[in-house]
Amino acid sequence: MAEPATLVDNRYYPGDIAWMLICTAQVWLMVPGIGYFYSGMARSKNALSLILLCVLCVAVVSVQWFVIGYSLTFSTKGGSFIGNVDHAFFINLKGDPSFANPRIPDTVHAIYQGMFAAVTPALAIGAAAERARVVPMLIFIFIWTTLVYDVIASWSWSLNGWYAQLGGLDFAGGTPVHITSGAAALAYCIVLGKRHGHGTDEFKPHNVANVVLGTAMLWFGWFGFNGGSAYSANLRSVMAITSSNLAASVGGITWMLLDYRLEKKLSALGFCSGAIAGLVCVTPGSGYIKPQSAIAFGIVGGTFCNLAVKLKHLLDFDDALDVFAVHGVGGICGNLLTGIFAQKEVAALSDEVIKGGWLDGNWVQVLYQLADSCAGLAYSFCITYIILFLMDKVPGLSLRIDPDSEHLGIDEAELGELAYYHVDRVANMVHLQNSNMNTNAISINHDKSSGSIMQSNNQYFGDSNH
């Protein structure tokens, strides 16, 4: 027991507070990491909007979290499905001990969990890339966070949540973050419809370097995401970080090798996708498993998420950035594996008492994990679909940009700014020079010929006299 003189206000542990604030900053960094990851996978004319929308998630959700979100999610006197408004506008958050860990104040818990709430819609909106209007999306984020994320996070993590009371295990967000965002992404892309040219045009990543940068930011931030979910600088936090790093490494290698089997190339994009899949998969179990088990999470996450990418071709939907395949499927795999590999002795590192998973003889835990996965998937998909369907009927809140704007790109059509202005300027100059050269060539040929020659898109046709 620490001496009172070394504590904050004679009751809080400064090391735990410092650790949680560092983890808060790390989780915040994940949001622009998502932006760069998504931006690199999109076409250049939509690159800036994806980074901006992810960062705007922090702004919109931070307001929502302060006004009502934290209270609905974590009020200690709420119901089994959703909380109440006891802490709306952070009322009654007076620095009392947090229910998550009495060694830190509840204000630290509130700001840390607010970053989780901001990350989740940032993940989901990737499915709507290149065709969704910006302002309706921001309104959707506020509504969705209130009606979907807060509800599912409450039943998973609040004191009175039905899943928490059932004995379900979700250390850092398998269902509230990943399954929820994956299901919402699926609903969003279905309501919006396919991008123009989908199935005929190639939608290749325009900047794989940005994908690698985003992956590095996410990987770094995930240490705070999973490690901070121990709510203390303790051995359990160390175990969570160790397992997360190992699962990401194995997941990246697994995905890359699966792609190599088909393409005979070592893909940077494949490694990055696999690393994220491994991190997604290990998230719900990171604080319940031993590092050896993390290898299974990486292999399963990398394999099944890789295979799930093909679902959009089989089922004919346009999930632009494979959000459902990586986060939806990865979250389900992680939940089920947690039911198998969770162990009592790991949870006991922070004095949490659980029955463990199948390895500890508690096979029924797998059924609990399955029930939560199905409930989260169904609730998020259905409520998201209803929100989007109703919004699209409201004048001024139509979800999709018009065809001309989609052809132009969201950056220029919706923002009036470009991620690569200098590149586009050079490209336009080259195009103008080529046009002038072609015009001069046509003029010379016209003088030498008795007939006129017409040019269109570099194709020459004889006129009506021929």
Side-chain angles (χ1 to χ4, degrees):
M1 182 67 180
E3 293 293 332
T6 67
L7 303 179
V8 177
D9 294 336
N10 295 323
R11 52 180 173 170
Y12 300 127
Y13 285 66
D16 286 347
I17 293 176
W19 169 241
M20 293 308 301
L21 294 179
I22 290 171
C23 289
T24 299
Q26 287 184 267
V27 179
W28 181 93
L29 187 64
M30 293 176 70
V31 176
I34 296 167
Y36 274 97
F37 186 87
Y38 284 169
S39 174
M41 291 180 66
R43 290 174 291 179
S44 60
K45 61 184 179 180
N46 302 298
L48 181 62
S49 60
L50 283 166
I51 298 174
L52 177 63
L53 282 167
C54 288
V55 175
L56 283 173
C57 282
V58 177
V60 172
V61 175
S62 292
V63 173
Q64 188 274 347
W65 196 247
F66 170 74
V67 173
I68 193 66
Y70 179 74
S71 186
L72 291 177
T73 307
F74 289 110
S75 54
T76 55
K77 297 179 182 179
S80 60
F81 186 74
I82 190 65
N84 55 34
V85 295
D86 285 353
H87 298 309
F89 297 94
F90 281 14
I91 295 173
N92 299 322
L93 290 183
K94 301 176 181 179
D96 294 329
S98 171
F99 74 89
N101 179 11
R103 294 157 60 108
I104 62 173
D106 49 16
T107 47
V108 173
H109 178 256
I111 187 61
Y112 175 70
Q113 281 294 335
M115 296 300 104
F116 276 61
V119 164
T120 308
L123 295 172
I125 61 177
E130 303 193 326
R131 61 202 189 278
R133 293 179 60 212
V134 172
V135 173
M137 181 179 284
L138 298 180
I139 296 172
F140 163 77
I141 289 169
F142 190 99
I143 298 172
W144 183 88
T145 303
T146 305
L147 299 182
V148 179
Y149 177 81
D150 293 349
V151 173
I152 296 178
S154 179
W155 81 40
S156 299
W157 290 331
S158 70
L159 286 176
N160 302 318
W162 68 263
Y163 185 58
Q165 293 293 317
L166 182 66
L169 303 177
D170 194 333
F171 188 70
T175 299
V177 177
H178 296 298
I179 292 178
T180 300
S181 62
L186 181 61
Y188 211 148
C189 70
I190 291 174
V191 171
L192 278 181
K194 302 174 188 176
R195 289 168 289 178
H196 290 292
H198 182 265
T200 56
D201 294 344
E202 284 190 320
F203 295 97
K204 289 188 174 182
H206 87 280
N207 192 332
V208 178
N210 274 2
V211 177
V212 176
L213 174 62
T215 301
M217 295 169 70
L218 283 166
W219 198 325
F220 175 78
W222 229 295
F223 293 150
F225 194 84
N226 289 352
S229 294
Y231 297 110
S232 179
N234 56 25
L235 289 177
R236 193 178 186 191
S237 180
V238 175
M239 294 287 280
I241 290 176
T242 304
S243 296
S244 300
N245 187 63
L246 189 56
S249 302
V250 174
I253 294 172
T254 299
W255 190 304
M256 187 171 63
L257 291 178
L258 287 172
D259 284 354
Y260 182 83
R261 176 178 56 87
L262 301 174
E263 305 292 339
K264 304 304 180 185
K265 303 288 184 181
L266 294 176
S267 167
L269 179 62
F271 176 80
C272 292
S273 299
I276 300 303
L279 287 164
V280 169
C281 191
V282 81
T283 291
S286 55
Y288 294 113
I289 64 172
K290 293 181 178 180
Q292 300 91 318
S293 301
I295 297 174
F297 282 77
I299 293 173
V300 172
T303 300
F304 280 87
C305 292
N306 179 287
L307 296 175
V309 170
K310 299 175 176 59
L311 286 175
K312 65 182 181 183
H313 304 299
L314 294 175
L315 302 179
D316 199 25
F317 60 84
D318 185 14
D319 183 351
L321 305 178
D322 297 319
V323 181
F324 177 73
V326 174
H327 295 277
V329 174
I332 294 171
C333 291
N335 275 354
L336 297 178
L337 289 174
T338 300
I340 297 172
F341 291 102
Q343 295 187 267
K344 294 178 284 188
E345 60 181 289
V346 179
L349 293 174
S350 62
D351 299 324
E352 182 180 353
V353 178
I354 65 171
K355 295 180 180 180
W358 204 330
L359 283 185
D360 285 350
N362 184 34
W363 64 267
V364 74
Q365 188 66 46
V366 178
L367 299 181
Y368 294 159
Q369 304 296 117
L370 178 62
D372 179 53
S373 300
C374 293
L377 185 70
Y379 180 86
S380 179
F381 179 85
C382 293
I383 301 301
T384 302
Y385 192 96
I386 292 171
I387 293 171
L388 292 169
F389 178 81
L390 295 177
M391 281 185 61
D392 204 34
K393 302 299 181 183
V394 177
L397 292 184
S398 58
L399 301 174
R400 183 161 180 159
I401 59 176
D402 60 78
D404 291 337
S405 297
E406 184 176 345
H407 177 74
L408 186 63
I410 293 179
D411 289 1
E412 189 167 352
E414 292 274 301
L415 306 181
E417 299 172 322
L418 298 172
Y420 304 101
Y421 172 74
H422 59 291
V423 176
D424 291 337
R425 185 177 182 182
V426 171
N428 288 334
M429 291 175 62
V430 172
H431 177 72
L432 181 61
Q433 290 176 352
N434 289 336
S435 298
N436 291 336
M437 292 175 63
N438 289 334
T439 301
N440 292 335
I442 293 172
S443 178
I444 293 173
N445 290 333
H446 177 73
D447 293 339
K448 294 180 177 180
S449 173
S450 59
S452 63
I453 301 176
M454 300 178 63
Q455 181 190 38
S456 175
N457 295 327
N458 295 324
Q459 300 296 319
Y460 295 88
F461 301 90
D463 66 7
S464 58
N465 294 324
H466 294 159

